[in-house]
């Protein structure tokens, strides 16, 4: 497959072939031996709906925006470029701007430090050439507007020295920027009065600068609204509704519904907090709105279940319309069962038909019309099962890996250790299972695993007992580094392009 070609598959044409991934770009690449600062580590990645903008958030509370450039070099839309047969080698992005979204805070009532780390970023509908997005740390959500503004410059003085009769009238760029049009006694050349003139006689020596607007522009990020004081626990998710007006925010025990224009109140739509906290058995781990129906949303739990709720049923969604969970295999329970079953991330497919979930060991694909079990299970960390004790001791077992789907829904991806990430084909009959490394040579560790993902729990058990892989190694027998992990990644909404974060570096790949 040539670089940049999309793997378009028509119905009945059979499973797509495996993609050949290539390195595209890297931002913030580390030099050998460079020590990465904690505040520079990327903690969130998000493409906008068009795919022309990409946002990243880091642990220092900053949001960095990138914009696509290869579709602008020749003018016109991407489709126009394709029709004109321009040779676009691969998607190219450039740094656009950055701003400080959150600052560290201290809750004096609870004696609690609130980190500035950005947990999630979500793009909102752009308007009049301005970009809008919401970002959140553990407690506070902010709504940002990023727009280009013309730069105002100080140029000439308001009085022509050769005609210095002297009143020191103050020029306004809305009137004129030419100093020759100002005359004495507070009058303009056209006879209009200057409202800012000094008393008759003036001060001959006083000369004031004229501020004019130039054609140069600068990007300005402005916080439009702050949504605060609505969560007692750490916010783990925010998600926009398809109506373009509302969004949800979720913490461990509650999900709140907000209107973008109203920052001083929200509606609590899900509350799983028991009357007695000792009775607490599970917490909310991730939540997302349906991409098409604004009345539907899904949230996952630490017990490995996904609940689909309908906002039309009641104001407080205590009951779910559908529950998706995989039945436990008798005799397979262990100390780690619940820990590794906890879902760290869920994503809807673009058409809203499927939900992709990521737990510690696997990726699971669920059909929202079938709640008996996942339609496919993809093994990500099965080779780590013999090392669960060590992973528990060093807290790696609690790492929260994200997942993503391609725009056409034919592939899914998620991260792993040693800055590896995996891409699986989900089309019927597909055997695609590719492992890549976040580096300039992603194919260095690529391994094709021609194994059909299976729903059968017995087949999963057989994989576990096979024991063909050494503990702490990947499926290519390479030792894994648990200090380097690829937690965050995003798939371009319309093309086979992936952005992923390895510490402070943003790597981009295409196929």
């Amino acid at each position: 497959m040539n670089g940049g070609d999309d793997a378009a598959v028509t119905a009945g044409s059979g499973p797509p072939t495996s993609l050949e991934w290539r390195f595209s770009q890297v931002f913030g690449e580390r030099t050998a031996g460079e020590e990465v600062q904690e505040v520079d580590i990327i903690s969130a990645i998000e493409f906008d709906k068009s795919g022309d903008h990409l946002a990243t958030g880091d642990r220092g509370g900053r949001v960095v925006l990138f914009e696509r450039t290869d579709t602008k070099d020749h003018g016109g839309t991407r489709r126009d470029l394709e029709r004109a047969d321009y040779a676009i080698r691969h998607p190219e992005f450039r740094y656009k701007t950055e701003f400080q979204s959150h600052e560290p805070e201290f809750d004096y009532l609870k004696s609690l430090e609130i980190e500035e780390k950005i947990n999630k970023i979500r793009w909102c509908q752009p308007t009049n050439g301005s970009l809008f997005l919401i970002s959140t740390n553990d407690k506070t959500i902010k709504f940002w507007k990023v727009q280009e503004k013309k730069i105002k410059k100080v140029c000439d003085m308001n009085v022509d020295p050769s005609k210095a009769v002297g009143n020191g009238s103050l020029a306004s760029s809305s009137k004129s920027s030419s100093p020759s049009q100002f005359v004495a006694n507070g009058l303009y050349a056209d006879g209009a009065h200057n409202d800012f003139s000094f008393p008759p006689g003036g001060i001959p020596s006083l000369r004031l600068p004229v501020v004019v607007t130039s054609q140069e522009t600068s990007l300005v990020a402005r916080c439009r609204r702050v949504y605060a004081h609505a969560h007692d626990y750490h916010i783990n998710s925010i998600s926009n509704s398809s109506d373009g007006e509302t969004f949800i925010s979720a913490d461990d025990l509650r999900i709140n519904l907000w209107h973008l224009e109203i920052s001083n109140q929200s509606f609590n739509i899900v509350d799983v907090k028991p009357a007695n906290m000792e009775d607490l058995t599970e917490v909310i781990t991730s939540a997302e709105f349906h991409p098409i129906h604004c009345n539907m949303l899904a949230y996952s739990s630490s017990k490995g279940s996904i609940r689909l709720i309908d906002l039309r049923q009641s104001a407080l969604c205590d009951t779910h319309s559908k529950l998706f969970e995989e039945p436990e295999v008798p005799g397979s329970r262990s100390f780690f069962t619940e820990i590794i079953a906890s879902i760290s991330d869920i994503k809807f497919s673009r058409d809203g038909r499927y939900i992709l979930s990521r737990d510690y060991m696997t990726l699971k694909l669920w059909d929202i019309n079938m709640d008996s079990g996942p339609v496919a299970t993809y093994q990500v960390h099965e080779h780590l099962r013999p090392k669960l004790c060590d992973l528990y001791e060093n807290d790696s077992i609690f790492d929260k890996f994200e997942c993503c789907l391609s725009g056409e829904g034919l592939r899914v991806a998620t991260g792993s250790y040693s800055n590896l990430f995996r891409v699986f084909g989900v089309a019927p009959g597909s055997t695609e299972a590719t492992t890549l490394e976040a580096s300039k040579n992603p194919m260095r560790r690529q391994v094709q695993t021609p194994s059909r993902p299976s729903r059968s729990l017995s087949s999963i058990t057989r994989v576990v007992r096979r024991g063909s892989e050494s503990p702490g190694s990947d499926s290519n027998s390479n030792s894994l580094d648990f200090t380097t992990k690829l937690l965050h990644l995003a798939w371009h909404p319309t093309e086979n392009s992936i952005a992923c974060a390895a510490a402070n570096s943003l790597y981009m790949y295409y196929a």
Side-chain angles (χ1 to χ4, degrees):
M1 177 175 291
N2 294 326
D5 293 342
D6 289 337
V9 178
T10 57
S13 63
T17 57
S18 297
L19 294 179
E20 183 182 346
W21 290 93
R22 293 182 173 89
F23 169 79
S24 174
Q25 286 175 284
V26 60
F27 296 94
E29 186 180 25
R30 289 169 292 167
T31 57
E34 179 187 356
E35 185 177 346
V36 178
Q37 299 297 317
E38 179 81 9
V39 294
D40 294 331
I41 295 177
I42 297 173
S43 56
I45 299 179
E46 185 79 4
F47 279 105
D48 69 350
K49 281 189 176 180
S50 68
D52 290 337
H53 293 94
L54 176 68
T56 66
D58 62 26
R59 294 187 183 180
R62 292 164 298 194
V63 172
V64 182
L65 304 185
F66 302 88
E67 68 175 348
R68 188 159 179 181
T69 59
D70 58 293
T71 57
K72 295 182 179 180
D73 292 340
H74 306 284
T77 64
R78 190 176 303 112
R79 185 170 294 179
D80 294 334
L81 294 175
E82 291 169 352
R83 287 173 180 168
D85 199 27
Y86 285 111
I88 300 177
R89 190 172 65 86
H90 60 76
E92 285 187 2
F93 285 78
R94 72 177 176 192
Y95 168 86
K96 187 178 178 74
T97 189
E98 68 179 81
F99 55 90
Q100 188 72 31
S101 176
H102 287 72
E103 300 280 358
E105 301 174 51
F106 189 82
D107 187 335
Y108 293 97
L109 293 176
K110 297 181 179 178
S111 296
L112 183 70
E113 288 187 19
I114 303 172
E115 287 185 319
E116 65 272 36
K117 172 191 167 190
I118 304 296
N119 290 341
K120 294 288 180 182
I121 297 174
R122 290 290 181 265
W123 289 92
C124 303
Q125 190 71 28
T127 307
N128 297 330
S130 299
L131 302 175
F132 295 88
L133 50 87
I134 51 178
S135 60
T136 184
N137 64 353
D138 286 340
K139 295 291 184 180
T140 306
I141 306 160
K142 294 186 179 181
F143 180 44
W144 292 90
K145 178 181 181 179
V146 182
Q147 65 180 141
E148 287 188 348
K149 284 198 170 184
K150 291 188 176 180
I151 299 175
K152 291 185 177 181
K153 289 186 175 180
V154 175
C155 58
D156 300 320
M157 293 298 174
N158 65 321
V159 177
D160 188 342
S162 64
K163 301 178 182 179
V165 180
N167 71 349
S169 38
L170 178 63
S172 168
S173 59
S174 62
K175 291 282 186 180
S176 171
S177 60
S178 174
S180 62
Q181 291 181 290
F182 297 101
V183 293
N185 300 323
L187 290 175
Y188 286 94
D190 59 2
H193 278 276
N194 178 7
D195 295 334
F196 303 101
S197 63
F198 283 92
I203 305 174
S205 61
L206 182 62
R207 297 172 60 200
L208 300 177
V210 176
V211 179
V212 296
T213 304
S214 70
Q215 295 303 311
E216 295 179 41
T217 60
S218 66
L219 278 165
V220 177
R222 188 163 64 92
C223 183
R224 294 286 303 275
R225 283 175 189 83
V226 177
Y227 314 89
H229 312 301
H231 288 276
D232 291 330
Y233 305 94
H234 291 176
I235 299 172
N236 54 51
S237 304
I238 50 175
S239 178
N240 303 83
S241 169
S242 58
D243 63 14
E245 296 180 347
T246 56
F247 70 94
I248 56 170
S249 58
D251 65 21
D252 294 339
L253 299 180
R254 294 188 177 97
I255 300 177
N256 292 333
L257 177 67
W258 301 83
H259 193 285
L260 279 169
E261 300 296 324
I262 303 171
S263 60
N264 59 358
Q265 71 174 16
S266 63
F267 297 95
N268 178 224
I269 55 175
V270 174
D271 188 349
V272 301
K273 184 178 181 179
N276 185 354
M277 285 295 283
E278 292 181 1
D279 298 330
L280 183 66
T281 58
E282 62 181 333
V283 296
I284 298 168
T285 57
S286 183
E288 181 159 308
F289 255 120
H290 191 281
I292 299 172
H293 304 300
C294 59
N295 59 287
M296 293 175 62
L297 61 95
Y299 69 91
S300 59
S301 82
S302 57
K303 276 195 167 182
S305 61
I306 301 172
R307 290 172 173 85
L308 192 67
I309 62 176
D310 193 330
L311 297 175
R312 297 172 298 183
Q313 290 182 341
S314 65
L316 185 60
C317 303
D318 291 322
T319 58
H320 50 267
S321 54
K322 283 190 179 178
L323 174 67
F324 305 95
E325 61 182 357
E326 199 165 32
E328 192 176 304
V329 179
S332 65
R333 191 168 185 82
S334 71
F335 173 78
F336 304 109
T337 299
E338 281 198 15
I339 300 175
I340 63 176
S342 178
I343 295 174
S344 56
D345 190 28
I346 59 171
K347 291 287 194 310
F348 273 101
S349 61
R350 199 173 184 182
D351 59 3
R353 172 71 183 273
Y354 298 96
I355 299 174
L356 181 67
S357 68
R358 171 69 203 266
D359 55 47
Y360 189 72
M361 304 297 283
T362 64
L363 272 176
K364 292 186 176 74
L365 191 67
W366 309 79
D367 187 328
I368 65 170
N369 297 326
M370 190 181 77
D371 52 8
S372 59
V375 293
T377 299
Y378 306 90
Q379 301 298 338
V380 181
H381 282 164
E382 192 58 45
H383 51 279
L384 295 180
R385 196 173 288 273
K387 210 165 178 66
L388 289 179
C389 282
D390 295 336
L391 294 167
Y392 179 78
E393 290 293 328
N394 63 21
D395 287 341
S396 294
I397 201 170
F398 301 107
D399 288 333
K400 293 176 170 54
F401 292 93
E402 292 179 0
C403 58
C404 57
L405 299 93
S406 61
E408 80 290 83
L410 294 177
R411 292 172 180 85
V412 296
T414 191
S416 182
Y417 294 104
S418 296
N419 287 340
L420 301 177
F421 65 99
R422 305 204 68 192
V423 180
F424 299 93
V426 303
S430 173
T431 59
E432 183 175 359
T434 308
T435 301
L436 304 120
E437 183 180 20
S439 68
K440 289 188 176 181
N441 183 12
M443 311 300 277
R444 181 159 46 130
R445 288 202 179 194
Q446 174 170 323
V447 53
Q448 291 288 345
T449 312
S451 58
R452 178 77 185 106
S454 172
R455 285 188 57 202
S456 168
L457 289 170
S458 60
S459 66
I460 296 174
T461 307
R462 283 198 297 273
V463 172
V464 174
R465 292 175 180 169
R466 189 175 61 206
S468 60
E469 296 155 349
S470 61
S473 64
D474 62 16
S475 52
N476 204 25
S477 298
N478 295 310
S479 60
L480 291 177
D481 178 6
F482 296 115
T483 62
T484 56
K485 44 197 128 182
L486 200 149
L487 301 176
H488 312 285
L489 74 172
W491 202 303
H492 191 284
T494 58
E495 301 175 8
N496 285 319
S497 177
I498 292 178
C500 55
N504 67 322
S505 302
L506 176 67
Y507 288 91
M508 307 194 73
Y509 307 95
Y510 71 101

